[in-house]
Amino acid sequence: MSDRPKVAVIVGSFRRHSVNRRLAEAIAKTTAAKLDLQILDYGEVPLFNQDHEADPPAAVVAFKDAIKAADAVLFVTPEYNRSMPGVLKNAIDWASRPPGQGVWSGKPAAIAGASPGALGTGAAQVDLRNVLTAINVAVMGMPQIYFVHKDEHFTPDGGFADPKFQAFIEGWGDKFAAWIAKMNG
Ligand SMILES: Cc1cc2nc3c(=O)[nH]c(=O)nc-3n(C[C@H](O)[C@H](O)[C@H](O)COP(=O)(O)O)c2cc1C
């Protein structure tokens, strides 16, 4: 399966029991035949300081290199106060700098998110999509993933319990693979 596109997964939560990380892992498992999804560890990326953008800390260099090496990016974000978490915006900002050395332009991407609340990260995803437009990320328009988290929505082995949702995510994986091929064409 070496021809599967490599997708860097950026989870917008560092929490050990993050429901977004759980969603990301279930998406990775469900779409494994078509996509090679790897969750990035960017917990050491410091707060952005423009004084250091020309010679960034090692964690930032590693984060940028991981994005560069990936065929695509999947953002899996919580919603904090009707927007994306600061850790996610901070990492996006670092990797957009300095001018001419950002890693985002033209990168195919998709967005997903999980919340225990009924709105399922809709507002955060809209804000994230706006930000990604500003740095020329090629975000897939449809289908979109808004996941209301409940323990019973997962199988014990980390898949999706509802066969209809499982099929939806499989179809989403097919469409994202096609989007990546088209954008990287
Ligand atoms: C600072 C903060 C703000 C939050 N604001 C929202 C919100 O606007 N909408 C929402 O659905 N959930 C909100 N939540 C609840 C999160 O959806 C919930 O904590 C979720 O589990 C976070 O994702 P994670 O488990 O991946 O860390 C908020 C949580 C925090 C900590």
Side-chain angles (χ1 to χ4, degrees):
M1 295 203 280
S2 58
D3 56 345
R4 293 176 306 160
K6 288 189 188 344
V7 180
V9 182
I10 303 176
V11 177
S13 171
F14 300 150
R15 202 165 72 85
R16 191 177 315 138
H17 298 298
S18 161
V19 302
N20 283 276
R21 190 178 181 95
R22 195 176 185 191
L23 173 63
E25 288 168 350
I27 294 172
K29 182 181 171 70
T30 305
T31 61
K34 297 283 174 64
L35 299 168
D36 178 7
L37 268 63
Q38 301 289 336
I39 297 177
L40 291 192
D41 178 2
Y42 67 103
E44 299 299 316
V45 169
L47 287 177
F48 180 73
N49 181 337
Q50 199 178 354
D51 290 341
H52 305 305
E53 68 176 11
D55 185 18
V60 173
V61 174
F63 180 72
K64 289 178 75 175
D65 285 349
I67 304 296
K68 268 192 247 174
D71 298 309
V73 177
L74 171 61
F75 296 89
V76 186
T77 187
E79 181 168 294
Y80 280 2
N81 300 318
R82 295 288 178 263
S83 188
M84 77 196 84
V87 295
L88 176 57
K89 180 63 162 54
N90 183 62
I92 291 171
D93 289 343
W94 269 119
S96 71
R97 303 293 297 182
Q101 293 174 48
V103 296
W104 297 115
S105 189
K107 192 68 74 175
I111 302 173
S115 166
L119 295 179
T121 71
Q125 291 196 35
V126 168
D127 273 6
L128 176 56
R129 196 172 285 269
N130 277 340
V131 167
L132 297 177
T133 301
I135 49 178
N136 203 34
V137 174
V139 188
M140 182 168 73
M142 287 287 186
Q144 302 178 356
I145 302 174
Y146 302 98
F147 188 73
V148 177
H149 178 270
K150 288 189 178 13
D151 279 337
E152 58 266 33
H153 289 166
F154 294 96
T155 57
D157 65 346
F160 295 107
D162 178 354
K164 279 193 196 146
F165 194 73
Q166 175 87 8
F168 167 74
I169 295 294
E170 282 168 10
W172 172 92
D174 292 345
K175 291 186 176 87
F176 191 33
W179 177 255
I180 295 166
K182 190 171 165 188
M183 290 301 117
N184 287 340

